[in-house]
């Protein structure tokens, strides 16, 4: 889950930069900041962005919200350096001309979103600030939605510094301004406290000194008559050590067969070693190849097309469950700019739960649900309804329970009147994912995954396919869209709420079904 959050923070930054670059720069062979970052990920991606951008699968509509996040954080950042001039982006040449005149003004002021082009390089500074210590120089401030300094951010700033200096601008200090994840909102956002400003002038030097050579190579790639032949690698799914899928992945990975070696559980590196050896299918992994126990189970299941079942382990898991039994699932929003008092950037704020209650073994489950349908803080009503639903005894099952446990703990901390309740509830939770994550049961159709979205179809035969909302990220973004945007059509809003109820309800119904089948396996 942490990896997932880091991914969404990076996504906020890269989607925002890419869309801005696309709008501003019409010459496809100009190297913009976002293309520079593409180039660091893969020469093939760079070439396609510059020479055949139509080959890149379209950006999903859901990423509009990601772009909006970058835009809102950027607007907030301008308030951190007040009194500046915002160079509007509509016209590329006008932007550059206006930037030039602002840079040479006798009474320099901060410049927001200044576009600078030199040769085939283009960079757009989030904020340029007249240096207080170096006359005639400009400090560069790069704003990021992330919550810490990452190598990819340093490379980004180094590229900007290079562009500005090539354009004859005297650069003073270079700063990264990222979100402070310890900031807690009380009233209006305090921009001083919300952002952390880090001087990275020295840290970017190792990247900066390599740039002339690096950029020469990137331009050679852009000008190649044909796309470079690059093999897929771990770089397709990682940026700066964080999971980040390349937009070309659906195309470049399309040659992989079903049940391929890149599905090996916790085995991406091994999988790529196998691909490099020309071994693509799990069933073709040689007998002597070193695999973990779980990877071996996965391979053997795929070869036999049979499920692996460890009855004693499943039985042991089931014995820990007591009745009345509740199956529980939460949905949350997590936003870069905290919306409610007492919350932090990217805090998971629960707005919906589903609970299926089984009073006794075999009893027909009763369904309870909560969905906060107004734009105020959902947590007080959520925790009140949840407390009423969870009773005082019996096991509470969740899937990947650390997520739900974390939210309950936070609710207990945020609302002291629920502190004792949270302490009482937490020891009652068990994780229904365990029989699958520990490979007590594994079906080849899980493709090495213990996520509910993979287990449900493989184990029960039900799917989330065809649901208007069928995964947590979309649930979160759709909830925020219809709840906080007053202009949303009421019919649209009502439909999204109904879709959310169907989605969250299916998650806990799925757990009811999975538990039932685990019991059948033990009895058989
Ligand atoms: S999917 Fe991989 S090989 Fe294809 S362009 Fe992206 S990084 Fe390069």
């Amino acid at each position: 889950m942490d990896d997932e959050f880091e991914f969404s923070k990076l996504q906020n930054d890269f989607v925002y930069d890419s869309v801005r670059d696309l709008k501003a720069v019409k010459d496809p062979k100009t190297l913009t900041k976002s293309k520079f970052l593409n180039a660091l990920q893969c020469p093939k991606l760079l070439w396609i962005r510059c020479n055949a951008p139509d080959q890149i699968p379209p950006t999903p509509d859901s990423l509009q919200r990601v772009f909006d996040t970058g835009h809102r954080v950027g607007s907030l950042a301008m308030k951190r350096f007040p009194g500046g001039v915002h160079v509007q982006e509509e016209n590329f040449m006008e932007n550059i001309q206006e930037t030039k005149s602002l840079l040479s003004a006798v009474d320099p002021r901060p410049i927001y979103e200044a576009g600078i082009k030199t040769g085939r390089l283009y960079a757009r500074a989030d904020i340029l600030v007249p240096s207080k210590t170096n006359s005639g120089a400009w400090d560069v401030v790069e704003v990021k939605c992330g919550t810490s300094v990452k190598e990819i951010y340093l490379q980004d700033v180094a590229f900007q510094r290079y562009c500005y200096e090539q354009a004859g601008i005297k650069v003073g200090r270079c700063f990264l301004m990222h979100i402070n994840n310890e900031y807690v909102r009380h009233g209006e956002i305090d921009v001083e406290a919300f952002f952390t400003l880090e001087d990275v002038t020295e840290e970017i030097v190792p990247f900066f000194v390599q740039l002339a050579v690096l950029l020469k190579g990137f331009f050679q790639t852009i000008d190649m008559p044909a796309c470079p032949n690059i093999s897929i690698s771990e770089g397709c799914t990682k940026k700066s050590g964080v999971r980040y899928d390349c937009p070309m992945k659906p195309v470049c990975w399309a040659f992989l067969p079903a049940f391929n070696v890149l599905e090996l559980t916790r085995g991406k590196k091994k999988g790529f070693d196998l691909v490099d050896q020309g071994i693509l299918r799990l069933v073709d992994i040689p007998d002597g190849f070193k695999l973990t126990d779980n990877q071996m189970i996965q391979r053997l299941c795929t070869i036999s097309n049979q499920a692996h079942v460890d009855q004693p382990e499943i039985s042991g898991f089931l014995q820990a469950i007591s009745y009345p039994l509740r199956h529980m699932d939460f949905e949350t929003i997590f936003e870069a700019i905290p919306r409610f008092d007492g919350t932090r950037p990217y805090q998971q704020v629960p707005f919906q739960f589903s609970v299926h209650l089984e009073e006794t073994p075999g009893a027909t489950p009763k369904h309870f649900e909560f969905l906060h349908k107004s734009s105020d803080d959902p947590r007080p009503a959520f925790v009140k309804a949840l407390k009423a639903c969870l009773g005082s005894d019996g096991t509470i099952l969740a899937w990947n329970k650390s997520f739900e446990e974390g939210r309950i703990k936070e609710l207990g901390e945020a609302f002291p009147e629920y502190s004792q309740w949270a302490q009482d509830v937490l020891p009652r939770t068990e994780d229904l994912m365990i029989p699958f994550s520990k490979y007590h049961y594994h079906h080849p159709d899980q493709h090495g995954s213990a996520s509910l979205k993979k287990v449900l179809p493989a184990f029960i035969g039900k799917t989330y396919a065809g649901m208007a909302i069928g995964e947590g990220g979309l649930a979160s973004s759709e909830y925020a869209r219809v709840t906080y945007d007053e202009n949303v059509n009421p019919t649209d809003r009502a439909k999204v709420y109904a879709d959310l109820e169907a989605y969250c309800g299916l998650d806990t119904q799925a757990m009811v079904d999975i538990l039932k089948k685990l019991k059948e396996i033990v009895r058989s």
Side-chain angles (χ1 to χ4, degrees):
M1 216 24 139
D2 287 348
D3 199 28
E4 201 64 39
F5 298 150
E6 287 306 316
F7 165 65
S8 46
K9 290 177 202 168
L10 271 189
Q11 201 181 38
N12 286 337
D13 290 320
F14 294 127
V15 170
Y16 184 56
D17 284 342
S18 298
V19 174
R20 280 198 315 176
D21 281 357
L22 268 176
K23 276 188 185 169
V25 184
K26 300 302 174 204
D27 171 18
K29 298 205 178 183
T30 292
L31 190 66
T32 63
K33 192 174 75 167
S34 63
K35 284 183 194 160
F36 169 74
L37 298 174
N38 288 155
L40 291 173
Q41 186 166 17
C42 176
K44 182 176 178 181
L45 178 59
L46 172 66
W47 190 92
I48 291 172
R49 278 255 347 237
C50 296
N51 293 281
D54 293 350
Q55 287 183 22
I56 300 177
T59 306
D61 289 347
S62 58
L63 288 188
Q64 178 60 42
R65 189 163 173 80
V66 173
F67 174 78
D68 292 344
T69 296
H71 186 70
R72 284 190 295 122
V73 170
S75 300
L76 207 53
M78 294 175 200
K79 294 185 183 166
R80 175 72 175 70
F81 293 91
V85 183
H86 190 179
V87 185
Q88 296 304 322
E89 67 186 49
E90 277 68 29
N91 186 304
F92 174 59
M93 289 314 296
E94 279 177 19
N95 180 309
I96 290 169
Q97 287 307 329
E98 192 182 346
T99 299
K100 268 188 190 163
S101 74
L102 289 167
L103 285 168
S104 53
V106 282
D107 180 19
R109 291 188 283 158
I111 310 173
Y112 315 130
E113 307 218 34
I116 288 140
K117 186 168 188 325
T118 173
R120 290 171 67 187
L121 295 173
Y122 173 82
R124 189 162 197 168
D126 285 326
I127 306 174
L128 288 178
V129 185
S131 170
K132 288 189 180 132
T133 54
N134 188 348
S135 175
W138 292 83
D139 292 341
V140 176
V141 180
E142 175 65 15
V143 181
K144 292 297 179 198
C145 294
T147 50
S148 60
V149 173
K150 296 182 176 63
E151 187 178 300
I152 194 90
Y153 294 163
L154 297 174
Q155 290 167 317
D156 179 337
V157 178
F159 173 76
Q160 290 184 58
R161 173 170 203 148
Y162 185 87
C163 293
Y164 306 148
E165 291 189 345
Q166 289 292 305
I169 297 166
K170 190 172 162 191
V171 175
R173 310 299 295 177
C174 293
F175 296 91
L176 265 175
M177 192 160 81
H178 61 79
I179 292 174
N180 168 18
N181 60 359
E182 292 183 2
Y183 169 74
V184 180
R185 179 169 190 160
H186 293 290
E188 284 301 302
I189 296 285
D190 173 352
V191 286
E192 290 279 339
F194 177 73
F195 288 110
T196 300
L197 189 65
E198 299 210 30
D199 187 334
V200 294
T201 313
E202 269 73 46
E203 276 126 302
I204 65 169
V205 170
F207 305 106
F208 183 80
V209 295
Q210 299 171 10
L211 273 173
V213 174
L214 206 58
L215 292 173
K216 194 169 168 220
F218 290 167
F219 282 118
Q220 282 168 353
T221 300
I222 292 172
D223 295 335
M224 283 169 72
C227 184
N229 190 9
I230 304 290
S231 302
I232 62 169
S233 69
E234 282 189 276
C236 301
T237 57
K238 278 205 169 138
K239 226 174 195 171
S240 204
V242 175
R243 186 176 80 72
Y244 187 87
D245 280 356
C246 170
M248 281 296 291
K249 191 170 160 239
V251 178
C252 296
W253 289 40
F255 74 97
L256 291 167
F259 302 99
N260 65 70
V261 293
L262 295 184
E263 293 175 358
L264 261 183
T265 185
R266 298 182 180 275
K268 274 283 178 288
K269 183 163 181 339
K270 269 180 209 172
F272 282 113
D273 287 348
L274 288 160
V275 170
D276 289 345
Q277 294 171 41
I279 299 165
L280 301 185
R281 300 189 308 160
L282 285 168
V283 295
D284 294 331
I285 296 176
D287 283 342
F289 191 84
K290 198 166 166 28
L291 295 173
T292 65
D293 290 349
N294 291 346
Q295 290 166 349
M296 188 64 83
I297 290 171
Q298 185 188 359
R299 171 179 170 263
L300 293 175
C301 283
T302 308
I303 290 170
S304 65
N305 196 25
Q306 296 286 322
H308 161 85
V309 180
D310 187 332
Q311 272 184 322
E313 288 286 2
I314 295 172
S315 179
F317 173 82
L318 294 176
Q319 279 164 21
I321 290 173
S322 66
Y323 287 75
L325 170 65
R326 290 164 177 90
H327 305 259
M328 175 181 77
D329 183 62
F330 297 169
E331 300 302 329
T332 59
I333 47 164
F334 51 104
E335 300 182 293
I337 303 172
R339 191 174 289 275
F340 307 111
D341 279 358
T343 60
R344 299 181 313 279
Y346 295 110
Q347 180 170 333
Q348 301 274 357
V349 175
F351 63 84
Q352 180 182 19
F353 69 73
S354 173
V355 169
H356 270 89
L357 166 66
E358 294 181 71
E359 298 272 13
T360 54
T364 303
K366 292 180 190 160
H367 186 220
F368 302 88
E369 61 189 346
F370 170 86
L371 176 59
H372 195 68
K373 294 183 180 173
S374 57
S375 60
D376 58 338
D377 187 347
R379 296 174 302 160
F382 178 99
V383 68
K384 186 177 177 203
L386 186 67
K387 183 181 177 197
C389 223
L390 293 185
S392 55
D393 58 347
T395 298
I396 301 165
L397 282 177
W399 196 276
N400 196 10
K401 71 171 187 166
S402 61
F403 181 75
E404 274 74 15
E405 282 183 338
R407 306 300 72 79
I408 289 172
K409 197 160 161 280
E410 286 163 0
L411 288 167
E413 287 164 1
F415 304 101
E417 64 272 34
Y418 290 97
S419 162
Q420 186 58 51
W421 166 80
Q423 286 176 44
D424 294 342
V425 161
L426 289 172
R428 292 167 54 201
T429 60
E430 295 289 344
D431 198 335
L432 187 56
M433 186 170 76
I434 282 180
F436 302 90
S437 61
K438 293 197 169 173
Y439 279 67
H440 303 151
Y441 179 93
H442 185 77
H443 190 284
D445 290 345
Q446 287 172 236
H447 298 275
S449 167
S451 82
L452 188 55
K453 306 291 179 289
K454 290 282 198 255
V455 171
L456 184 66
F459 194 48
I460 304 292
K462 283 187 185 173
T463 83
Y464 289 77
M467 298 190 78
I469 293 175
E471 53 93 17
L474 187 60
S476 178
S477 63
E478 280 296 90
Y479 175 77
R481 180 178 71 79
V482 302
T483 305
Y484 304 124
D485 182 350
E486 292 168 358
N487 299 318
V488 166
N489 173 314
T491 312
D492 181 15
R493 181 176 292 125
K495 181 179 180 314
V496 168
Y497 286 152
D499 293 339
L500 283 165
E501 282 166 350
Y503 169 62
C504 197
L506 178 57
D507 273 351
T508 48
Q509 180 60 53
M511 291 162 64
V512 170
D513 295 343
I514 288 168
L515 183 72
K516 187 170 170 226
K517 186 151 179 198
L518 285 174
K519 285 180 175 177
E520 287 165 9
I521 285 175
V522 168
R523 279 199 296 268
S524 63

